[in-house]
Amino acid sequence: MMMIECPWCGKRDQSEFTAHGEAHIARPLDTFGLSDQQWGDYVFFRSNPKGLHYERWVHSFGCRQWFNVARNTATDEVYASYKPGEAKPIIKATTSRAKK
Amino acid sequence: MSNTTQIQTPLAKSEPLELAGTHLQELPLSGKISLRGNSSNRKLAAAVKKATGLVLPTKANTFNHKGEGYVTWMGPNEWQITCELDQTNKLIDELRADLQDIHSAVVEVSDYYTTLQLSGPLARKVLANGSAFDTHPSQFNKGQCTQTRFGHAAILLQQLSAEPDYRIQIRWSYAQYLFDYLSAALHNHATDQ
Ligand SMILES: [Zn+2]
């Protein structure tokens, strides 16, 4: 079981949330100047790391707000939750539990 | 021909249940209004106060109530106002008139949901059967509310007294599912005692 902190409601069971992939992917501003490959990168390609991952979640069974979570994809450890628009927190211990 | 509509609640045929001092029943249909807006705009809280006599709760997962009137925090820019069914239209008109100048929405959702009462000593155990939400008094108490998950259903849970006395609001189409799930859980816990 994984617990996730909603920035508004506090710590809740994962089953109240829905994950929506990698966070902090800005839409390109120069949309007319983009090549097909650049569009492809923006729309389809994600980093998929083992370890620290910044991702978007929505509290779908709760307050229905979107926010960001820093999570370890190997251990499911949740390092931080933060509201949209807030800066990415710097996380140091990325694979501490994964190495065991 | 009558020009009034008879509304039958989804659980009209489900009998109230009373086991081991714990009570489960559907409550009469209430008026429900969804309110969206920015709480930092003073006009919003002022309009709610004027129409309902209640303070707009800005603290997450809390509600204010007086009699059958409730103002419930649903999200940082969303509330639900509950009232006597025959007061709904009047309340909507008042709110819309007072909020027309600000970015907001007032929508009636009365027959989208129905409300159950679950109260008594086994109420927490019954809720724990279908929900991971922590109802321990140190985490959740009188005056607090939350939207959460019970089985496959999305519910709004409000705690009215320390007893505990809960109100559980559920979408109309999920009402029978929830009632059956809760009553089965209550039967099990009452037998275990
Ligand atoms: Zn939330």
Side-chain angles (χ1 to χ4, degrees), chain B residues 68-145:
Chain B
E68 289 310 302
Y70 290 75
V71 183
T72 305
W73 187 96
M74 305 288 275
N77 53 28
E78 183 183 0
W79 294 264
Q80 192 183 86
I81 297 173
T82 317
C83 61
E84 302 267 13
L85 194 58
D86 60 4
Q87 297 294 306
T88 319
N89 289 339
K90 184 177 155 266
L91 213 54
I92 287 175
D93 290 345
E94 275 183 46
L95 287 167
R96 284 191 180 153
D98 286 346
L99 296 174
Q100 59 183 334
D101 299 335
I102 71 167
H103 186 59
S104 61
V106 177
V107 178
E108 180 176 5
V109 292
S110 301
D111 54 9
Y112 189 44
Y113 302 99
T114 191
T115 312
L116 307 186
Q117 177 181 11
L118 173 67
S119 58
L122 292 177
R124 285 194 180 90
K125 280 189 171 176
V126 168
L127 281 176
N129 263 67
S131 182
F133 180 73
D134 190 356
T135 55
H136 189 273
S138 65
Q139 302 299 313
F140 191 70
N141 223 313
K142 185 184 164 187
Q144 286 181 285
C145 60

Side-chain angles (χ1 to χ4, degrees), chain A residues 5-10 12 16-17 58-65 67, chain B residues 60-61 73-76 146-147:
Chain A
E5 176 106 12
C6 166
W8 288 272
C9 302
R12 297 295 180 90
E16 291 190 11
F17 300 88
V58 60
H59 195 186
S60 35
F61 277 80
C63 64
R64 300 204 297 277
Q65 298 300 302
F67 59 97
Chain B
N61 295 310
W73 187 96
M74 305 288 275
T146 186
Q147 293 176 90

Side-chain angles (χ1 to χ4, degrees), chain A residues 26-59:
Chain A
R27 190 172 195 275
L29 293 174
D30 178 24
T31 51
F32 287 106
L34 245 50
S35 68
D36 284 354
Q37 186 173 353
Q38 286 169 316
W39 268 120
D41 283 347
Y42 164 65
V43 176
F44 300 112
F45 286 83
R46 299 295 180 257
S47 58
N48 194 26
K50 179 179 182 182
L52 177 64
H53 190 225
Y54 295 91
E55 51 201 15
R56 302 190 303 158
W57 285 77
V58 60
H59 195 186

Side-chain angles (χ1 to χ4, degrees), chain B residues 7-193:
Chain B
I7 302 172
Q8 195 175 47
T9 59
L11 299 171
K13 293 192 175 76
S14 299
E15 293 290 322
L17 194 62
E18 175 93 42
L19 286 170
T22 306
H23 184 76
L24 174 67
Q25 73 168 123
E26 185 189 30
L27 296 174
L29 201 63
S30 57
K32 300 169 203 80
I33 301 161
S34 164
L35 171 71
R36 303 295 301 262
N38 183 347
S39 62
S40 61
N41 190 325
R42 283 187 195 161
K43 279 190 176 176
L44 188 75
V48 170
K49 176 83 187 168
K50 193 179 129 200
T52 66
L54 293 165
V55 174
L56 186 76
T58 49
K59 187 168 183 255
N61 295 310
T62 62
F63 66 96
N64 294 320
H65 83 116
K66 194 178 170 190
E68 289 310 302
Y70 290 75
V71 183
T72 305
W73 187 96
M74 305 288 275
N77 53 28
E78 183 183 0
W79 294 264
Q80 192 183 86
I81 297 173
T82 317
C83 61
E84 302 267 13
L85 194 58
D86 60 4
Q87 297 294 306
T88 319
N89 289 339
K90 184 177 155 266
L91 213 54
I92 287 175
D93 290 345
E94 275 183 46
L95 287 167
R96 284 191 180 153
D98 286 346
L99 296 174
Q100 59 183 334
D101 299 335
I102 71 167
H103 186 59
S104 61
V106 177
V107 178
E108 180 176 5
V109 292
S110 301
D111 54 9
Y112 189 44
Y113 302 99
T114 191
T115 312
L116 307 186
Q117 177 181 11
L118 173 67
S119 58
L122 292 177
R124 285 194 180 90
K125 280 189 171 176
V126 168
L127 281 176
N129 263 67
S131 182
F133 180 73
D134 190 356
T135 55
H136 189 273
S138 65
Q139 302 299 313
F140 191 70
N141 223 313
K142 185 184 164 187
Q144 286 181 285
C145 60
T146 186
Q147 293 176 90
T148 183
R149 182 172 178 155
F150 187 94
H152 293 294
I155 60 167
L156 166 66
L157 182 70
Q158 293 171 290
Q159 186 169 345
L160 267 72
S161 75
E163 183 195 2
D165 180 6
Y166 297 115
R167 295 289 176 275
I168 307 169
Q169 185 176 285
I170 176 81
R171 285 191 179 85
W172 197 279
S173 53
Y174 270 96
Q176 193 69 56
Y177 165 80
L178 179 69
F179 190 89
D180 292 347
Y181 202 147
L182 292 171
S183 62
L186 179 51
H187 275 288
N188 282 341
H189 289 300
T191 318
D192 286 347
Q193 283 211 319

